[in-house]
Amino acid sequence: MTKHFFTRWPWGLITTLTAATVSAQPVPTPAAAPLIPAQRIEALTHMVRQDCGSCHGMRLTGGLGPALTAEALTAKPPEYLQAVILHGIPGTPMPPWSAMLTAPEAQWIAQQLFQGFPLEKLEK
């Protein structure tokens, strides 16, 4: 009887139900962007374009430091980039920015880099 059970059971149905259950699981979403005042966002944008740009290139396409374009960062987790921003990389020219940035600000910068960092608004 056991042999008959395994040869007659509709395994396709089990596979379909399992696949439906797995696909119904919630998909993890990136961390929500921290709430940062607009004036501080302007200052952060200027800092990234000028200070980070001095090593990573004014267009963030690379220089002394690696490129920080969305394409160049696809293999890096956002948490890694946030940690590098805050703590630097010992033994390299990448300094820690934790004296000038909060963790939410570093998170915002990392998220913006993954999306393609915004250009600075030029005053007219």
Side-chain angles (χ1 to χ4, degrees), residues 3-77:
K3 183 177 180 184
H4 179 72
F5 174 77
F6 287 114
T7 57
R8 301 273 226 151
W9 185 254
W11 292 107
L13 177 61
I14 291 175
T15 304
T16 302
L17 291 174
T18 303
T21 303
V22 169
S23 66
Q25 299 298 319
V27 176
T29 57
L35 296 176
I36 298 173
Q39 188 174 15
R40 184 62 179 155
I41 286 177
E42 286 182 33
L44 292 173
T45 301
H46 179 77
M47 186 185 87
V48 170
R49 288 288 173 189
Q50 299 303 311
D51 294 328
C52 301
S54 66
C55 288
H56 294 279
M58 296 308 285
R59 296 180 183 213
L60 305 177
T61 54
L64 173 64
L68 297 178
T69 60
E71 298 81 24
L73 297 173
T74 56
K76 307 277 188 212

Side-chain angles (χ1 to χ4, degrees), residues 78-92:
E79 299 80 14
Y80 168 79
L81 191 54
Q82 180 182 358
V84 167
I85 292 167
L86 286 174
H87 306 294
I89 302 175
T92 73

